[in-house]
Every structure is written in C-alpha cells, then in structure tokens.
Amino acid sequence: MQRRSGVLSLVAGWVVLFSLMGCSGKTLDPGVPAAQENPGEVENLSWWSRAAMDAYLRQDVWRGNRAGYVLMFARDGVPIHANAYGWADIASERPMMLTTPMRFASMTKPVIAVAAMQLVEQGRMDLDDPVAKYIPAFADSQVAVSQARNAQGDFDTRPAQPVLVRHLLMFASGIGPGRDEETELWQHWQANSPREEGAGTLQGRISAMASLPLFEEPGTRWRYGWSADALAAVVEVVSGQRIDAYLQANVFEPLGMGHTRYLVNMADRSGLATVYRHDASGELIDFGSTIDADFPEGGSGLVSTAGDYLRFALMLWNDGTYQGVQVLQPDTLAQIQALHVPGGVMANEGIEGIGWGLGFAVVADDEASVTPDRTGDFWWAGYFGTHFFVSPETGLVGVFLSQTEPSPGNEVPFALYVAQAIAFAGL
C-alpha cells in the first residue's frame, strides 16, 4: 500500500504542475480500431491523469532527459488516450508524432514467441521437441562445469540435457550470455555471439552459436541471452520461410501492422526517430547507426510504431483475436501468460516479483514488485526505451516509446513507470 500511496502523491504533484503550465490534456486519435468490432461503452482515463501524464512527459523532454516520447493506452480493448511529445530528431526540429517509426529492439522477442506458438498450435512442432530436431548442431550441446578457463585455456564441460523448444520460450535454455558478472565464459559468449559473425544467415549464425558451452542445464534458470534468436531459427525451419517473411504473412498483415518490418529490410530510414545517448556532460547526442544488425534477428531488429504495436498488444488482451482476425487460440494465450518461471527475472535490476511465461515477463507478485502493475500483468521492453504491457485485471493496455541508448549519463527510464502508474491511478 505504501507504494500505491507514493504513486498517488506523485500524480497529485503533476496535476498541480499541469494547472500551472496550462496544458490541455487532450486525447489524440491514435488511428487504431478497437480490438472488437462492436465494443461496448468504455470509460476514459480521468482528465487529471491524462493532464498529469502530459505535464510530466513535457517537462522530461524540456529538461533534456529524453528527446521525445509517444504513448498510447487502451481500456477494455478500446484506444482511449494517445499523445506525442518532443522531437523525433532534434537537429532538424522534426517533431515526434504518433506515427513516428522507431527501433523496438527487444520488443521483437514477444512477436517471435507468438510466431512460434502459432506453429505449436497448428501441430507443426511441440513445446517438448528437442531443438536439435530442427537445428542439428544442438545435438551435441555441452554445459560448462566452470565459467573460468582451465589450464589449457578451454572450458571444462559435460553433456547437457536436450534443449527443448519450451526452454527457448522460457529463456531457460542455458544460452547466454545474460546480464551476469563478466566471467571468462561470459566474455567468450560475447566475442562469439551471432552478431559477431562477419556474415551469414540466421540459421548459420545460430548453428555456430550451438557449439558454445551452455551456462547451466536447460530448464533450470531464466537467462537473458540469445534464446529468442534460436527460436526464430526454429520457426524458419518448421515454416520453410525466413523469419521476416513468416512474420509479415502470419502476424503483421493479419493485424494490419503496415508500418512494422525489420530494419535490415528498410532502404529508406529517413523517417525513423533518431536514437540518442547522453554524453559526459549530460547533453543528448546522436548515437549513430552502429547498432544495426545485417540480418533478421529473433531477439531484436524490428521497426514499428506505437499504433502498430498497440494492435499486437490488443490481440494479446483479446484472447488472440483482433478485429475478427484470430492470430492465436485462447488456450494458447493462456499458456503464454502462465507462470513458467515463477520469479527472479528482474533480480539483477533489483526488481522482485517478476516471473516469465512463454515469451513475456509476467507479474508474479505485485506487492513484491516496485513497478506499477497488477499480479498477472504481462509485458516486455526494448533496449532504447520502448515498453508495452497488458493488464488483464484492469483491462488496461499500454505502449510507451522513446529512443535513447542506455549510458552512464542517463537516468533510469522512470518516465515510462510514472506514465503507467498515472494511468492505473486514473482508472
């Protein structure tokens, strides 16, 4: 309850600021249809919550914490609030807009999970299939006995239990490197990850990665590594399509996500929001384009808009269906949302109460979590400051976007949590 009281105090403060600034708090049309073709009456966020949200984000841009933001909220399947703030590009004074495309980074991962679960639902693969059935290089998987090199400069290993498709979705495959201490094994993975390969397809890169020692036995621990990329490679084999082609035909087109594609496939990038970072003096500077991969990944790489991703999130809220188009069956969504990893997912960031389903973080205990959420909510975020959540208990769905590379000069992205807290408080 103390956490909830703190949120309400913060909201009250920003309402005062709103009144001083004279902001309108106007709801903008996001151009996203409701999840259902004939939705019932839905109550909007309160005027003061919208006003406080707008005031907070405007001042955050004004003080140079971020170049710009876009947010969209829906309730009970109906879009109820959207706004854009600041700049998509500071130098040219190009404003951030609801339709500005951005790099979504790790918010690619939930999309890959949906693609894989479509194939499971169709009986074309099983959650308990060994990954080696589709990528033979995993047949010889070894698990490291120690994360330090031996006297010969190698890693002592022993044969691992089979890596299953289920383990890839759980991020419990033993595939690294994760966010742990930088051991010698961690450094070895960093130097030999799929992105470090000079050239090649996703299939070739994942097959080469399969020779690296696993960090732990599959199924024993959540680890933030390359599991989603291996899962995308499995989707390619089972479907017979490259991952970008599969997603276009089976996720993006059915949901009307016409602005979503892999960055590597974009010839014209002039409309993208610029990615910034803070320099040593705290000023925002252009991060540059060295972040881009040259192949369609599974764990990153998608460019999208707030409206497109809201369609995806509304499909998840609506038991796998959006505007009459069924992407997944309700039972499949229930599997995805179930707690397959009961906790410890955000422990390295000092956040408790968060577990994992099949491709998403799931709130296991809202009282233990310091983030504004409800038990049973599911969500994920991207490296450059993108975030989405689905809250089954409240019916609230949100997409929140910015484009800043984490650096020592950055604040923790409090703004997305503040906006989410204000939205919950305004229900």
Side-chain angles (χ1 to χ4, degrees):
M1 291 302 295
Q2 184 175 4
R3 174 164 62 91
R4 306 284 186 232
S5 299
V7 167
L8 291 174
S9 298
L10 180 64
V11 170
W14 287 113
V15 170
V16 172
L17 178 60
F18 154 76
S19 64
L20 295 174
M21 293 176 67
C23 299
S24 68
K26 179 183 178 182
T27 297
L28 303 181
D29 180 5
V32 180
Q36 297 152 340
E37 293 178 351
N38 297 297
E41 289 294 321
V42 175
E43 187 176 348
N44 202 345
L45 295 176
S46 65
W47 71 266
W48 58 263
S49 65
R50 289 180 279 122
M53 208 179 301
D54 288 349
Y56 179 85
L57 294 173
R58 285 191 175 96
Q59 67 80 35
D60 206 56
V61 170
W62 174 78
R63 68 189 181 91
N65 188 30
R66 296 292 187 271
Y69 293 105
V70 175
L71 60 78
M72 288 187 183
F73 290 101
R75 188 177 187 187
D76 294 338
V78 179
I80 56 172
H81 183 63
N83 216 338
Y85 314 84
W87 308 107
D89 184 78
I90 297 171
S92 65
E93 296 188 347
R94 177 162 53 94
M96 192 71 87
M97 301 177 68
L98 297 184
T99 54
T100 298
M102 304 188 207
R103 293 167 168 89
F104 274 53
S106 284
M107 279 170 66
T108 304
K109 292 176 170 69
V111 180
I112 297 297
V114 165
M117 292 304 290
Q118 286 179 325
L119 298 175
V120 170
E121 185 177 276
Q122 295 163 16
R124 299 171 69 180
M125 69 177 181
D126 192 85
L127 287 175
D128 292 317
D129 282 345
V131 174
K133 179 178 178 180
Y134 308 107
I135 305 175
F138 277 93
D140 299 319
S141 291
Q142 301 285 308
V143 62
V145 174
S146 169
Q147 294 195 28
R149 294 183 185 273
N150 58 28
Q152 289 73 43
D154 299 320
F155 293 96
D156 292 326
T157 63
R158 54 180 168 76
Q161 296 295 316
V163 180
L164 307 179
V165 171
R166 180 187 303 278
H167 297 148
L168 298 180
L169 282 154
M170 291 169 59
F171 284 26
S173 61
I175 293 173
R179 295 175 173 170
D180 293 354
E181 180 184 354
E182 296 186 14
T183 63
E184 289 179 319
L185 181 60
W186 188 95
Q187 293 168 351
H188 183 61
W189 269 85
Q190 285 289 92
N192 294 277
S193 70
R195 277 199 170 191
E196 298 305 316
E197 293 287 325
T201 64
L202 176 64
Q203 291 296 318
R205 293 166 190 264
I206 297 303
S207 292
M209 183 190 74
S211 66
L212 302 178
L214 301 177
F215 280 79
E216 53 269 326
E217 284 286 358
T220 60
R221 184 191 176 208
W222 188 89
R223 176 176 290 275
Y224 195 64
W226 290 85
S227 288
D229 299 86
L231 185 64
V234 170
V235 170
E236 289 191 338
V237 173
V238 176
S239 69
Q241 295 177 278
R242 208 169 81 154
I243 190 62
D244 49 356
Y246 181 88
L247 294 180
Q248 183 65 30
N250 296 279
V251 180
F252 304 151
E253 286 185 7
L255 292 176
M257 297 171 66
H259 303 286
T260 305
R261 65 210 61 186
Y262 273 97
L263 181 63
V264 70
N265 294 336
M266 293 181 64
D268 181 9
R269 303 182 183 183
S270 59
L272 280 173
T274 299
V275 176
Y276 290 94
R277 69 185 305 275
H278 287 85
D279 64 16
S281 67
E283 294 295 318
L284 284 170
I285 58 174
D286 190 333
F287 181 61
S289 61
T290 57
I291 53 179
D292 302 337
D294 63 350
F295 67 103
E297 302 173 273
S300 188
L302 283 183
V303 167
S304 190
T305 63
D308 269 21
Y309 213 91
L310 185 62
R311 290 168 181 259
F312 177 75
L314 286 173
M315 175 274 294
L316 298 174
W317 171 84
N318 197 39
D319 291 334
T321 298
Y322 179 75
Q323 284 284 297
V325 176
Q326 189 167 65
V327 174
L328 288 174
Q329 297 282 349
D331 288 349
T332 304
L333 254 299
Q335 276 189 295
I336 287 175
Q337 298 170 31
L339 268 175
H340 294 265
V341 178
V345 167
M346 303 295 291
N348 285 356
E349 283 74 30
I351 299 174
E352 301 296 336
I354 307 297
W356 195 260
L358 295 177
F360 308 85
V362 179
V363 180
D365 182 357
D366 61 3
E367 291 300 321
S369 170
V370 298
T371 58
D373 43 40
R374 304 291 187 273
T375 297
D377 290 2
F378 55 98
W379 61 274
W380 199 234
Y383 183 69
F384 302 115
T386 58
H387 178 83
F388 91 103
F389 71 91
V390 177
S391 179
E393 178 185 320
T394 65
L396 196 64
V397 174
V399 176
F400 191 96
L401 310 178
S402 61
Q403 292 284 273
T404 303
E405 192 267 347
S407 66
N410 290 352
E411 292 182 5
V412 173
F414 289 117
L416 66 91
Y417 298 114
V418 171
Q420 186 175 342
I422 293 173
F424 275 128
L427 294 178

